[in-house]
Structures are given as structure tokens and as C-alpha cells.
């Protein structure tokens, strides 16, 4: 018998032999049976009571020589494994695989021999299983390659779910994401489409059980009534659910569900499910990283394309590789014209700013920054033409205002000094003339200060108007009543119908802007000519025009004259003086009333100033 050193060791040894899945038979040196485990009873048909203490009854006579040769080989050292035949109790022969080794005492003395028997067909089944496993593992490799080739996350998830049936033979399945304390079904195979994006409580789910038990794969079996209560198990005949945990970056990300209704699941299917779930986490991570990269590139591209600044990227050789739409609009060069070549303007050193003017007249502020890692240069440039013009206009305004103030002040001071020094020696007519000149110049100064103050309020958005219906025809007649006597060179005509409807606006503001339009008409037609004021109804508006036969306005300046501190171009108009606020105030007052004013050329020469105000009884007149 086997020599055991302790009852516990003997108990463990007996338990191992008794529960071994293969038949174990031990014989002494005389070939008498000393051990015959339950698996041997099942395999050969004899019980232990019938065999222990007797010669082995299973070796056929014609194979005794083989049997004895095996024992001799084992006695002299080594183990023998062979395929042979043995009897069952019913007289049938079994095709077996027998592994035989020596049974020795602690001191190495040969006690006997021990043989382990299992059916040869089990080896064949094992070989078949190994071949099938190798085939499925190769298939898994192909599937994983296909999954990793997908970059869009929905496609990756659908491929993973569809691969379940291919690899495990599952009848249905899906992939669930862990989202906080909830699960969400994001891909499914052979399950109703209505289940997509359905959710469940993580804690009461099989995924929760899997996480709590610290496992990566779980097999849940039972009657369908019980399984049907589990989430995403709507499959007729369902008897088994296999679950594999998917992790990304070492953290649980989701799980694969495999549902079985027609076939049984074995350890190989569980192994493949676990492997597929592991690769699923990697594939999902790759897809998410790709989507984030695509999103980031799309975001950068949107910012690049939508930027109001011109942006260009130059390679290490100074060639343009990117040119956004704003760059084309600012420079007049489209991307196709500049890509691959140098930029169409000078560049400052990286980190510095350069202000340049393009041949088109556009002024640009240009900045450069170097990307050290790639050697590329990012160029940012913006249009500062308006700011440049405003800066020049302000400088001109200061010079003009100084001149406009100095002239009347000099005259006032001169005549006031004359009156003070020579009052007694001057005639009454001379004194009256001096006082008249002082009053006229004071009026000019007052008007200039009014323009400056009104222009300041308009620029600060502080105009407060009272919008109501008023009689534009009456206002025009009042403003033009004394005009004919102001100049011997000009003729004034007024054509305003008596039935002109009331307009919506501020009568005082309209009187100011009309006075400015009339003053300009006289001012900019120094050689005289006709000044005509006319009004008529045009749809829901009343149109008022002031025509003159003066120097006119160049086409390029017909909008600029309404800006602050601008008097069209220098030359014919600049010689008439002023600070360039009149028409700026006119347009601001018109728009504050919901109207509009614009400048137009006259075919015969001169300018037409057109004012349009809404009729008072229209629905939106007072809004």
C-alpha cells in the first residue's frame, strides 16, 4: 500500500484518487490490485471490492507480453504511455490510452505500479478540440484585425457584436457600455433594434455581479423565466448567458453579452468570449481616440476657416501650406494661387508685429509665431485699414478743428480789440459793421461747437429722440423759406405736395439734418446753380431729396462721407473747410428715427442727398 505520513495527507491522497476523472489502478510487484478508484469502476465495470487483492482481470491474454514489458520498463526507470486494448466486465474490448509509472516508498523501494486509463477517443476529441481551438483563435485574430481596421465607433461596436456569433456560436448578443451607475446597450446582434440604447441599473445587472466578484468572465444558466428577468435577454429558448468584461486603460469600460438558446456553451467559447471582450476594449479605445482626433481636427479646421483674421501656415522652407478663407478675402489671393509658394507680403520676425500696406491699399497688421517642434510658421494678419483711416481722419480733424476755431477767434479778437482801442474815433457805421462781424463769427463758433457736441453724443450712443408723427412738408417749407435771399448765385426750388402724409420721427432732429443738407448744397456749389428740394411718397415711406449742381462726390467716397471726420477726398471739397461731422450727424439722426440717408450723383453734375422716413400711419412706424 502507499506509505502516508499523516492522516491528513492520507485523507487528501485518497480524496485525489477517488475524485480523479480518469481511471486509476495500482498493483503491487506481484500484480495484485491494491487500489481501484471510482473512475476505474465506471470504465471497466468491476467494483473495488471485486478487484482489490486479486490479479488484474482486464488484460487480454494476447497482450500479457506487452503488459509485462511495460512493467519491466517502468521497474528499471521511466514512464510508459501507449495505446492498447483492455477488457470490460461484459467481455467487450476498450480502446484505451494507458500511462504507467512506478509506485515507490519514501526510501525509493519499488512497491508496485500505477496506471492511469482513459478512452483513446478522448484523445481524439481533445485533438479535435485543440484543432478547433487553433482554428477559432486564428479566426479571432482575423476578426480582431477587422475590428481594429474600423475607426468609427458605431461600426466598431457593431462588428464586435456580430463577431460573437461567428466565434462562440451564440444565438444573439450585444455590447453594453458602463456609464456611471447605468448600463447602455450600444450594439446588438439578433436582438430587436428597439433595444438599442436601452439602459439598466449596473448594480442589479450581471455586469455588476461580475465586477463585485472580481472576475473577467461569467456564465449564468437557469430556466428561461429567471433569465428573462435579466436585461437584454429577450431570446426564445434562452438557457445560458455568457458575459465578458471589456476594459480600457485598466478600467472596466463595458461588457460583451453572448446569449445561447440552441446549443451549449463550453470552456472554449468562454475563453474566446473573454479574449474578444479584451480586444473589444482596445478597439473601442482606438476608435474613441480616433474620433477625438477627428473632432479636434474638425474643431481646429472650423476655427481656422471661421476666423475673421487671415491665417497662413508656412513650412520650414517658407512655403504656404495652409491659407484660410479670410486670408483670401483680405489679400485678394485665393488659396490655389499661394499654396506651395511664399506669402504675397513681407513677414516680421517670429514674435514681432509688422504693419504693411498691400498694393490694393489695404493695411495689415502681421504677426508670426514659430512651431518649434515642426519648424512651421503660423502667420496671423488682420485688416486695419479702417483703423488707419480713422487715425488719419482724427489727425486731420485735429488740424481742421484748430483751423476752424482759430479763424473766427482771430477775427473776433481783432475786431473786439479795434472797438476797444478806437471806439471814439470810429463812425457809427464802422462800429455796427465790426459788431456784426463779431456776431457772425460767434454764430459760426456756436454752430461749430454744436456740431462737435452733437457728434460726440451720436458717437457715444446717447441720442434721445421723441418719435411721433409730424408734418414734413411744413418743416421743409419753414427751412427753405428764407433761402433765396442768402445768395445771388443760387436759385432755390421747392416741390412738396400739399397732401404729403405725416411721417414718423423727431421733428427737431429732422430739422437739424435738413438744415445740414441745405447748408452743404450751398457750400459745395460755390459757383451757384439750382438747389432743388423735392418730396414724394414711395411705398410706406416719404422720400425727400436735396439736389445741387456743385462739385459732386466721387463714387468711392459716397459712403465714406457719412463717417466721422471725413470730407470725401482732399481737393475740391476739402477747400470748403469744416470738421467732417455734418453728414455723420445727418445719417445718425436719420437712422435713429428709423430712416435712411444716402448720397447719389446727378446726371448733369452735382449731388443728390436722399432722405427716406416712414409714413406715420404704417404698422411699424412708431417701433
Amino acid at each position: 500500500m502507499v506509505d502516508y505520513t499523516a492522516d491528513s495527507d492520507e485523507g487528501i491522497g485518497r480524496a485525489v484518487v477517488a475524485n480523479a476523472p480518469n481511471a486509476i489502478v495500482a498493483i503491487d510487484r506481484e500484480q495484485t490490485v491494491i487500489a481501484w478508484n471510482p473512475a476505474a469502476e465506471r470504465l471497466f465495470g468491476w467494483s473495488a471490492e471485486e478487484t482489490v487483492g486479486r490479479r488484474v482481470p482486464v488484460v487480454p491474454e494476447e497482450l500479457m507480453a506487452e503488459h509485462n514489458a511495460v512493467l519491466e520498463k517502468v521497474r528499471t526507470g521511466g514512464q510508459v504511455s501507449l495505446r492498447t486494448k483492455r477488457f470490460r466486465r461484459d467481455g467487450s474490448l476498450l480502446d484505451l490510452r494507458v500511462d504507467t509509472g512506478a509506485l515507490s516508498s519514501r526510501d525509493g523501494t519499488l512497491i508496485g505500479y500505477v496506471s492511469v486509463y482513459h478512452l483513446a477517443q478522448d484523445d481524439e476529441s481533445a485533438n479535435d478540440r485543440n484543432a478547433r481551438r487553433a482554428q477559432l483563435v486564428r479566426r479571432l485574430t482575423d476578426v480582431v484585425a477587422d475590428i481594429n481596421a474600423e475607426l468609427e465607433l458605431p461600426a466598431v461596436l457593431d462588428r464586435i457584436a456580430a463577431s460573437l456569433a461567428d466565434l462562440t456560436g451564440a444565438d444573439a448578443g450585444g455590447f453594453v457600455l458602463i456609464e456611471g451607475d447605468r448600463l447602455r446597450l450600444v450594439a446588438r446582434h439578433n436582438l430587436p433594434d428597439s433595444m438599442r440604447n436601452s439602459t439598466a441599473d449596473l448594480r442589479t445587472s450581471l455586469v455588476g455581479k461580475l465586477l463585485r466578484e472580481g472576475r473577467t468572465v461569467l456564465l449564468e444558466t437557469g430556466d428561461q423565466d429567471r433569465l428573462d428577468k435579466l436585461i437584454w435577454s429577450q431570446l426564445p429558448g434562452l438557457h445560458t448567458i455568457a458575459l465578458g468584461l471589456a476594459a480600457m486603460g485598466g478600467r472596466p469600460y463595458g461588457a460583451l453579452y453572448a446569449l445561447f438558446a440552441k446549443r451549449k456553451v463550453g470552456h472554449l467559447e468562454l475563453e474566446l468570449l473573454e479574449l474578444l471582450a479584451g480586444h473589444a476594449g482596445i478597439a473601442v479605445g482606438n476608435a474613441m481616440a480616433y474620433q477625438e482626433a477627428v473632432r479636434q481636427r474638425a474643431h481646429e479646421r472650423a476655427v481656422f476657416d471661421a476666423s475673421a483674421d487671415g491665417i497662413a501656415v508656412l513650412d520650414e522652407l517658407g512655403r504656404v501650406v495652409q491659407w484660410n478663407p479670410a486670408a483670401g478675402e483680405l489679400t485678394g489671393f485665393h488659396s490655389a494661387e499661394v499654396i506651395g509658394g511664399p506669402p504675397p507680403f513681407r513677414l516680421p520676425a517670429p514674435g514681432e508685429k509688422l504693419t504693411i500696406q498691400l498694393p490694393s491699399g489695404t493695411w495689415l497688421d502681421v504677426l508670426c509665431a514659430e512651431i518649434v517642434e515642426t519648424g512651421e510658421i503660423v502667420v496671423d494678419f488682420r485688416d486695419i485699414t479702417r483703423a488707419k483711416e480713422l487715425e488719419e481722419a482724427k489727425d486731420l480733424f485735429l488740424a481742421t478743428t484748430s483751423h476752424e476755431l482759430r479763424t473766427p477767434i482771430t477775427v473776433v479778437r481783432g475786431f473786439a480789440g479795434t472797438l476797444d482801442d478806437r471806439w471814439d474815433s470810429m463812425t457809427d457805421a464802422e462800429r455796427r459793421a465790426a459788431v456784426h462781424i463779431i456776431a457772425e463769427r460767434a454764430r459760426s463758433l456756436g454752430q461749430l461747437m454744436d456740431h462737435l457736441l452733437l457728434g460726440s453724443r451720436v458717437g457715444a450712443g446717447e441720442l434721445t429722440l421723441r418719435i411721433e408723427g409730424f408734418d414734413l412738408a411744413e418743416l421743409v417749407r419753414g427751412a427753405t423759406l428764407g433761402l433765396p435771399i442768402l445768395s445771388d448765385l443760387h436759385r432755390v426750388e421747392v416741390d412738396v405736395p400739399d397732401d404729403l402724409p405725416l411721417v414718423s420721427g423727431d421733428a427737431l432732429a429732422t430739422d437739424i439734418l435738413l438744415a445740414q443738407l441745405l447748408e452743404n448744397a450751398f457750400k459745395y456749389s460755390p459757383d451757384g446753380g439750382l438747389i432743388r428740394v423735392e418730396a414724394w411718397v414711395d411705398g410706406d415711406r416719404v422720400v425727400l431729396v436735396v439736389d445741387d449742381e456743385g462739385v459732386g462726390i466721387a463714387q468711392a467716397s459716397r459712403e465714406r462721407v457719412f463717417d466721422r471726420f471725413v470730407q470725401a477726398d482732399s481737393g475740391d471739397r476739402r477747400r470748403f473747410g469744416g470738421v467732417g461731422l455734418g453728414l455723420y450727424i445727418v445719417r445718425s439722426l436719420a437712422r435713429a428715427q428709423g430712416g435712411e440717408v444716402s448720397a447719389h450723383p446727378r446726371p448733369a453734375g452735382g449731388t443728390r442727398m436722399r432722405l427716406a422716413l416712414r409714413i406715420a400711419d404704417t404698422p411699424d412706424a412708431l417701433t
Side-chain angles (χ1 to χ4, degrees):
M1 300 295 288
V2 179
D3 182 17
Y4 297 109
T5 59
D7 290 343
S8 59
D9 290 341
E10 182 178 354
I12 292 172
R14 290 185 182 279
V16 170
V17 173
N19 292 283
N22 292 323
I24 300 176
V25 176
I27 59 177
D28 60 16
R29 297 177 64 176
E30 287 73 32
Q31 299 191 32
T32 299
V33 176
I34 58 177
W36 187 270
N37 75 342
E41 293 181 342
R42 294 191 296 272
L43 180 64
F44 295 112
W46 285 284
S47 67
E49 288 79 6
E50 294 175 298
T51 57
V52 173
R54 300 179 182 181
R55 297 273 295 188
V56 177
V58 297
V59 182
E61 184 64 30
E62 67 272 17
L63 295 177
M64 283 302 298
E66 177 191 77
H67 174 65
N68 292 331
V70 168
L71 297 184
E72 181 61 20
K73 176 64 177 174
V74 170
R75 186 188 67 78
T76 58
Q79 297 178 342
V80 175
S81 178
L82 78 162
R83 183 170 177 175
T84 187
K85 304 283 186 181
R86 290 294 184 266
F87 278 125
R88 274 184 58 84
R89 184 173 185 172
D90 60 8
S92 61
L93 284 174
L94 297 173
D95 188 9
L96 301 173
R97 169 68 63 180
V98 183
D99 299 310
T100 303
L103 185 62
S104 304
S105 64
R106 281 183 176 276
D107 59 7
T109 302
L110 181 68
I111 297 174
Y113 310 93
V114 61
S115 297
V116 179
Y117 299 85
H118 58 270
L119 293 171
Q121 69 183 36
D122 291 343
D123 286 342
E124 295 172 357
S125 298
N127 290 336
D128 291 342
R129 285 195 299 273
N130 288 336
R132 180 170 178 266
R133 182 185 185 281
Q135 180 183 14
L136 288 174
V137 169
R138 287 194 297 271
R139 178 60 185 145
L140 174 64
T141 302
D142 294 339
V143 167
V144 169
D146 290 342
I147 292 173
N148 287 332
E150 293 284 357
L151 295 176
E152 296 295 334
L153 184 58
V156 168
L157 295 174
D158 287 340
R159 292 293 294 272
I160 291 171
S163 300
L164 280 172
D166 189 14
L167 292 172
T168 68
D171 300 293
F175 191 88
V176 295
L177 291 180
I178 300 173
E179 298 178 336
D181 59 356
R182 303 289 297 176
L183 294 177
R184 181 166 63 91
L185 182 66
V186 293
R188 83 282 177 280
H189 178 68
N190 285 345
L191 290 173
D193 187 61
S194 59
M195 296 179 65
R196 187 187 293 272
N197 289 321
S198 55
T199 63
D201 189 339
L202 173 63
R203 294 169 298 177
T204 59
S205 70
L206 290 180
V207 180
K209 179 179 179 180
L210 188 69
L211 293 173
R212 287 191 297 272
E213 295 180 357
R215 290 189 278 170
T216 56
V217 66
L218 177 68
L219 197 65
E220 191 79 5
T221 60
D223 60 90
Q224 181 159 7
D225 288 341
R226 187 173 68 85
L227 293 180
D228 280 346
K229 295 178 182 178
L230 300 175
I231 192 66
W232 307 310
S233 58
Q234 298 177 15
L235 186 68
L238 176 66
H239 58 74
T240 303
I241 298 179
L243 187 67
L245 188 66
M248 186 172 62
R251 299 184 61 183
Y253 175 80
L256 273 176
Y257 271 97
L259 309 180
F260 295 87
K262 298 177 182 178
R263 55 166 296 177
K264 294 184 178 180
V265 58
H267 72 278
L268 180 56
E269 286 76 18
L270 285 176
E271 178 187 358
L272 291 170
L273 177 66
E274 183 176 6
L275 291 173
L276 180 60
H279 285 292
I282 297 172
V284 168
N286 291 340
M288 292 183 66
Y290 172 76
Q291 283 198 332
E292 177 59 25
V294 170
R295 188 200 66 79
Q296 184 66 25
R297 284 198 298 271
H299 174 75
E300 292 171 355
R301 187 76 231 181
V303 172
F304 182 80
D305 289 343
S307 174
D309 283 7
I311 301 176
V313 179
L314 314 182
D315 63 16
E316 62 277 7
L317 299 178
R319 297 172 301 195
V320 177
V321 293
Q322 293 190 59
W323 186 259
N324 76 338
E329 294 176 4
L330 291 176
T331 64
F333 291 92
H334 296 294
S335 59
E337 300 176 83
V338 295
I339 294 293
F345 48 77
R346 291 183 298 113
L347 299 180
E352 297 182 4
K353 184 176 77 170
L354 179 66
T355 300
I356 61 174
Q357 187 177 26
L358 299 178
S360 63
T362 301
W363 286 90
L364 298 178
D365 263 355
V366 185
L367 299 95
C368 287
E370 182 180 7
I371 304 176
V372 179
E373 293 78 5
T374 63
E376 293 176 312
I377 298 292
V378 178
V379 183
D380 182 279
F381 48 98
R382 63 185 57 182
D383 186 352
I384 61 165
T385 305
R386 295 291 294 169
K388 197 78 173 175
E389 290 176 347
L390 183 59
E391 180 182 345
E392 293 175 353
K394 285 182 177 178
D395 291 342
L396 182 59
F397 164 74
L398 291 175
T400 303
T401 303
S402 299
H403 172 75
E404 293 290 326
L405 288 173
R406 186 183 300 112
T407 299
I409 288 175
T410 300
V411 173
V412 169
R413 185 168 55 191
F415 276 95
T418 299
L419 288 174
D420 184 46
D421 294 337
R422 300 176 53 203
W423 178 269
D424 293 331
S425 61
M426 296 175 66
T427 66
D428 186 59
E430 291 174 334
R431 287 194 291 265
R432 288 182 179 277
V435 170
H436 175 75
I437 292 173
I438 291 174
E440 181 62 28
R441 295 301 180 178
R443 186 194 65 78
S444 297
L445 278 174
Q447 186 179 40
L448 176 61
M449 298 308 297
D450 287 343
H451 276 193
L452 291 174
L453 180 60
L454 188 54
S456 173
R457 292 177 58 197
V458 168
E462 297 176 353
L463 276 179
T464 301
L465 302 182
R466 180 180 179 182
I467 305 301
E468 60 185 0
F470 68 91
D471 190 342
L472 180 63
E474 181 181 351
L475 188 147
V476 170
R477 283 190 284 268
T480 58
L481 184 61
L483 291 181
I485 63 173
L486 295 180
S487 171
D488 296 332
L489 300 176
H490 296 86
R491 292 181 295 110
V492 179
E493 291 183 3
V494 179
D495 184 5
V496 177
D498 294 333
D499 59 349
L500 194 69
L502 299 182
V503 296
S504 173
D506 185 297
L508 179 59
T510 305
D511 186 53
I512 293 173
L513 72 86
L514 179 57
Q516 183 64 51
L517 293 180
L518 292 170
E519 179 182 334
N520 281 2
F522 278 89
K523 181 177 179 181
Y524 293 112
S525 54
D527 297 329
L530 176 66
I531 294 176
R532 180 176 176 80
V533 181
E534 187 177 359
W536 65 85
V537 175
D538 184 7
D540 63 347
R541 296 190 174 240
V542 170
V543 174
L544 174 73
V545 297
V546 177
D547 293 342
D548 65 60
E549 296 177 341
V551 298
I553 304 174
Q555 181 176 355
S557 300
R558 286 174 196 153
E559 278 299 311
R560 291 186 64 245
V561 293
F562 294 101
D563 292 341
R564 281 190 294 180
F565 317 134
V566 173
Q567 285 191 325
D569 300 324
S570 59
D572 288 343
R573 294 179 65 86
R574 175 58 63 191
R575 64 189 172 91
F576 298 107
V579 294
L581 285 172
L583 290 181
Y584 170 72
I585 293 171
V586 165
R587 174 165 280 183
S588 299
L589 291 174
R591 289 180 174 176
Q593 301 177 79
E596 186 56 80
V597 66
S598 55
H600 307 272
R602 293 183 69 249
T607 301
R608 164 171 284 191
M609 302 302 296
R610 183 182 189 274
L611 170 67
L613 295 174
R614 288 179 298 195
I615 297 175
D617 59 356
T618 56
D620 60 345
L622 300 180
T623 59

